[in-house]
Amino acid sequence: IYYIPIVGHPSAGKSSLIRILSGKKKVAVGKKSGTTRKINPMQISENLTILDFPGYGKVSNRSKSYADYLQQTTIDFLEEIKRNILVGIVITDLSNIEMMSSKLDQKGFIPIDFELTEFLFELTNKNVIVLGNKIDKLPAGTNFDQYLTFLPKDITFFPVSIKYKSGLDSFLIYLQMLCDDVFDELESYFWKYD
């Protein structure tokens, strides 16, 4: 069986993407971070499962030890399934791009989004897609180059708004291509949204 883990900071849009990819409306999505509290599998076909992970980072109204526990659980599980990961998807909130970039300027501090991307990039032998979500909250004409400079070289990156389904077509076509290369059974299935 192959997995597509979807990881990222709390409230980045992971569960919303899961609803789109799975076609299931019963995926819990919340306004506060921490709605997803355990790893939730969504079986797409006999041999492919999408995994919705809890937020990686600070969770509102939760202790640091709880957030650390969720982070370690994520790392341990990803290491356990690494040979069966088709592609990892990291969702990051681009509306925080300036804050993330400025934190990188502080000596020795790497924002969790970048740390998680690097980890998954190395773990999966570069089979990672980064979705820069919430482009609807950015000023028109925002240049994403400042964000890309902090990511691994040759990363596959798509700026999107999952909420408004903007920019998703290119990502979904790319994901379809990756799946078609591995699964004959998915040739008739196309990642789409309503």
Side-chain angles (χ1 to χ4, degrees), residues 137-176:
K137 294 185 175 185
L138 300 175
T142 297
N143 182 351
F144 301 113
D145 289 347
Q146 64 173 334
Y147 180 75
L148 291 172
T149 58
F150 303 116
L151 292 173
K153 188 177 179 199
D154 300 325
I155 194 85
T156 305
F157 175 79
F158 294 95
V160 299
S161 171
I162 295 170
K163 180 178 182 179
Y164 295 106
K165 298 177 179 145
S166 174
L168 286 176
D169 288 338
S170 297
F171 159 68
L172 293 172
I173 289 168
Y174 183 77
L175 185 59
Q176 179 71 31

